[in-house]
Amino acid sequence: MAIKSQKSDTAPMMEARPSDIVQDTDVVVMRYSKQAIMPDLIRAVAGIVLCGGISLVPGVIELLRWIGLGLSILFIVYLVRTILRMKIRIHVSEYGMRLTGMTDGTAFAWPELAGFRLRYFSTRRDGKKGWFELTLTAPGSKIVTESTLDGFDKLLSLARDAAQDNGLMVDDITRTNLMRMDEAETLVRAASRAAR
């Protein structure tokens, strides 16, 4: 089934705060804010200290020591990944997108978009708190972003329009998550109207 756009001319997507994105003519440069990354840094360091401490305590049973060491390594990988996310910049325009910061850069034009996937990861059993992960692929390119990215809504809107224009098929999970995003936007707009 081809993707359907829910975009309305009267109800634009939620925009990132102007202070969080840098605009240069028609290119928007997006990044992960320090406020979004700081909890991940704290969790990574706390995990390294706690699990590393367990593996170094004398008298701890051998199995527990190896488990602590293994978890410490996972938290170190998580810390490195989080630090790399701080350096990422995503340049987005109506023509395409480019990721810079870790390597020479990955880029593609919207007509080259060949894959569009939106996943939701919950931190609670009720599913009310969590984050979205958007995966966009083109021949030789793959860009993965999370909803903590400043300007994520604008990127999602452009990518969804490009997926529709390119006639891409999306899976049921992506379709469900797009509807969830649209419902969240509707609630935000209703709350802002009620506050006036």
Side-chain angles (χ1 to χ4, degrees):
M1 180 172 182
I3 188 168
K4 292 185 179 178
S5 174
Q6 303 290 324
K7 193 168 116 179
S8 167
D9 292 334
T10 59
M13 294 287 287
M14 291 180 290
E15 297 290 333
R17 296 183 305 270
S19 60
D20 293 334
I21 54 179
V22 180
Q23 294 192 359
D24 178 19
T25 61
D26 63 342
V27 176
V28 178
V29 181
M30 302 174 182
R31 66 179 180 267
Y32 292 95
S33 68
K34 290 179 182 173
Q35 293 91 350
I37 290 180
M38 196 55 65
D40 290 341
L41 285 174
I42 292 169
R43 279 189 286 269
V45 171
I48 292 168
V49 170
L50 182 64
C51 296
I54 290 172
S55 67
L56 296 176
V57 171
V60 174
I61 58 174
E62 198 67 23
L63 177 63
L64 193 58
R65 181 170 295 178
W66 283 107
I67 290 172
L69 181 62
L71 290 174
S72 295
I73 292 169
L74 287 177
F75 277 111
I76 290 169
V77 170
Y78 182 64
L79 177 65
V80 170
R81 179 183 173 272
T82 302
I83 291 170
L84 290 175
R85 274 177 52 211
M86 293 173 70
K87 299 178 179 292
I88 288 176
R89 298 292 180 267
I90 298 177
H91 307 257
V92 181
S93 75
E94 61 185 90
Y95 306 106
M97 66 182 297
R98 180 170 53 99
L99 183 142
T100 60
M102 296 190 316
T103 60
D104 290 338
T106 302
F108 57 82
W110 291 124
E112 297 175 305
L113 183 68
F116 177 92
R117 188 174 67 187
L118 185 65
R119 295 289 179 263
Y120 181 73
F121 298 94
S122 177
T123 55
R124 292 185 181 173
R125 284 189 178 183
D126 60 9
K128 289 185 178 176
K129 193 165 186 175
W131 73 94
F132 287 95
E133 180 185 84
L134 176 65
T135 304
L136 304 173
T137 56
S141 301
K142 178 179 179 181
I143 296 178
V144 180
T145 62
E146 295 177 1
S147 53
T148 53
L149 177 75
D150 291 326
F152 180 81
D153 293 328
K154 181 176 181 62
L155 173 60
L156 178 61
S157 176
L158 287 168
R160 182 164 61 177
D161 290 347
Q164 181 183 18
D165 292 344
N166 295 352
L168 297 184
M169 306 292 278
V170 296
D171 57 29
D172 291 337
I173 295 172
T174 297
R175 199 166 21 257
T176 300
N177 288 327
L178 285 170
M179 287 189 287
R180 183 181 291 190
M181 289 288 288
D182 290 338
E183 287 169 12
E185 283 177 50
T186 302
L187 291 173
V188 168
R189 284 196 300 269
S192 67
R193 280 195 300 267
R196 290 179 190 166

